[in-house]
Amino acid sequence: MQPQTIKKLHSWHAWSGLLSGINIFILSVTGAILVFVHELHHAIGPELPLHITTDRPEAYADAPLAPVVAAMQAENPAAVPAGLGIPTVADHAEDPDHFIYFLEMHPADDVGGSDHDRHIAYFFDPLTREFAPKSDVVDIPEWIWYLHANLFLGFAGQIFLGIVGIAFLISTVTGLIIYGPFMKGVFFGALRRGLTWRLLLADWHKLIGIGTLGFNLLMAVTGILLTLGQVLINLYSYSVISSLEPVAFEEGASRHAIVSVDQVVATARETFPDKNLRWISFPGQLQGDHHYVAFAYEEGRFFSRIPYVALINAYDAELSLTVDLPWYITMIYIAVPLHFGDFGGLPLRIVYAFFGLSAGALSVTGFIMYAIKYRRRRYEGVDSDVANQNTPAASRETARSISGGLS
Amino acid sequence: MKATRNSVPVSRGSWPRTWPAPVALFVIFALGVALIVFAGDGNSVLSHAGEACVAISPLVILYKFLNIFRRNSL
């Protein structure tokens, strides 16, 4: 490889790392914490305002939901139901405390549900018809989640983090390419002690970077999918909706004319008899005003993240369409467990947390190395470190040939 | 192989000495992810084998890190 090429790649590596560094550090630390989000919820999460105490979760399969949804709506006349979460028997087996129904409501004037601060959430028990609003206590795990997912900036933050992910991917790939020339003749994991801090940091930076290469590539790619993939999901949703036949309904019919959620649940369960129905999205969301959308999932920990989707007519509860997700949308859903590591047991999650912190360590070591080099260039006007950088004879030759002081 | 004044094991100009370990780590990690994805439900022998493969890369770094304390010096 030509010295100029290596220099150019190093420049890409440094600048992409510097531009994404602070965000990667935040994502690294919050990601390592979020790997244990279930344990965190148990330890420091706010207590659920309502519990369903039952030994027979099967008894809830036919529980009517519409009366209690109507009661919650009556308490908030300015809001409309947006989504309804349905727990499964498997949820009860995993954690009885989290076998709870959930209703999310949006202000009627918040088209698309983008104003998260005004959303209202209720937990409820459809058999006793008790319901309670979500606690106002700061939910620290949820706070960390939003910091990691969108920096509290909603969709814009998600897109920004997608761009950070691309910079991280560039930094990782260019780091891999320039690893060879700098390690020429040096054994894997060699650490030069007794010289300068910068050289030791550089060696650690290379060791951590190359040792976690696979993981960091995985995180970068799945992170990009999960952030920028939302745009694809939105576009695909619009294309599905626009492909539907126009729904026949009377002019001036109001949203009160829509069928009850129980009829929709019945149709969805009939459509996906061997799947777990988990979420019903009410008309007025991404799918437009004329359909409910039902999301059902398989059992299991990995492919259980891929939804089976059905659009159900809001005026007669007939099935309008089952959606066959294209491969690129399926990839986005598969990226979720790969990114968060929650598809395995505790040992895998510990490994994920350790790996996760490595990206933060790369950001810190990379930044310190750059700061030392910048200071030296600024105040001394030379970069005397270059010749010593790759002290083994073979790589010193490489370092001499690359002017400009690479690390 | 010889040791330089900086105690870095060197093999003159031999790039292959640089690459086998990182390539092996990457292949093992990728194999681990592939096994986990292929196994699907997260509880099978294949899945646990995948998790073990994924766990190998950080162990190498951890070993080097712990080695610092064994030598009692940075």
Side-chain angles (χ1 to χ4, degrees), chain A residues 336-353:
Chain A
V336 177
L338 282 175
H339 193 80
F340 290 101
D342 55 356
F343 54 91
L346 185 62
L348 182 73
R349 284 187 287 142
I350 292 171
V351 169
Y352 254 67

Side-chain angles (χ1 to χ4, degrees), chain A residues 146-171:
Chain A
Y146 279 114
L147 180 61
H148 186 88
N150 57 28
L151 302 173
F152 301 105
L153 295 172
F155 186 64
Q158 214 172 332
I159 298 300
F160 172 73
L161 288 181
I163 295 166
V164 167
I166 291 172
F168 182 48
L169 183 63
I170 291 170
S171 183

Side-chain angles (χ1 to χ4, degrees), chain A residues 100-119:
Chain A
I100 189 82
Y101 287 77
F102 179 82
L103 181 75
E104 186 174 300
M105 300 178 82
H106 295 174
D109 59 348
D110 179 22
V111 179
S114 56
D115 190 354
H116 291 272
D117 291 340
R118 292 167 65 205
H119 290 180

Side-chain angles (χ1 to χ4, degrees), chain B residues 10-36:
Chain B
V10 173
S11 181
R12 191 177 292 274
S14 56
W15 272 47
R17 289 191 188 279
T18 304
W19 284 111
V23 169
L25 284 179
F26 181 80
V27 169
I28 291 169
F29 180 85
L31 177 70
V33 172
L35 283 174
I36 290 167

Side-chain angles (χ1 to χ4, degrees), chain A residues 176-177 179-195 197 200 203-204 207-218 300-303 334 338 343-345 347-348 351-352 354-355 358 388 391-394 396 398, chain B residues 1-2 4-23 25-26 29-30 33 36-43 47-48 50-52 54-68 71 73-74:
Chain A
L176 168 66
I177 298 169
Y179 176 81
F182 284 113
M183 294 298 285
K184 192 174 180 183
V186 181
F187 279 105
F188 172 74
L191 298 171
R192 283 164 285 176
R193 298 180 178 82
L195 291 172
W197 271 98
L200 187 60
D203 287 341
W204 271 109
L207 173 62
I208 295 170
I210 201 71
T212 59
L213 173 73
F215 181 81
N216 284 332
L217 282 176
L218 185 70
R301 288 174 156 181
F302 200 85
F303 292 106
I334 288 181
L338 282 175
F343 54 91
L348 182 73
V351 169
Y352 254 67
F354 184 86
F355 265 136
S358 73
N388 292 326
T391 44
R396 189 183 297 147
T398 309
Chain B
M1 190 182 83
K2 65 177 183 180
T4 68
R5 64 187 173 85
N6 297 320
S7 299
V8 179
V10 173
S11 181
R12 191 177 292 274
S14 56
W15 272 47
R17 289 191 188 279
T18 304
W19 284 111
V23 169
L25 284 179
F26 181 80
F29 180 85
V33 172
I36 290 167
V37 173
F38 182 73
D41 73 356
N43 281 321
S47 177
H48 291 310
E51 290 178 25
V54 167
I56 285 175
S57 305
L59 286 181
V60 172
I61 298 167
L62 197 61
Y63 169 77
K64 296 293 290 188
F65 191 70
L66 293 176
N67 220 20
I68 292 172
R71 293 179 181 213
S73 162
L74 281 173

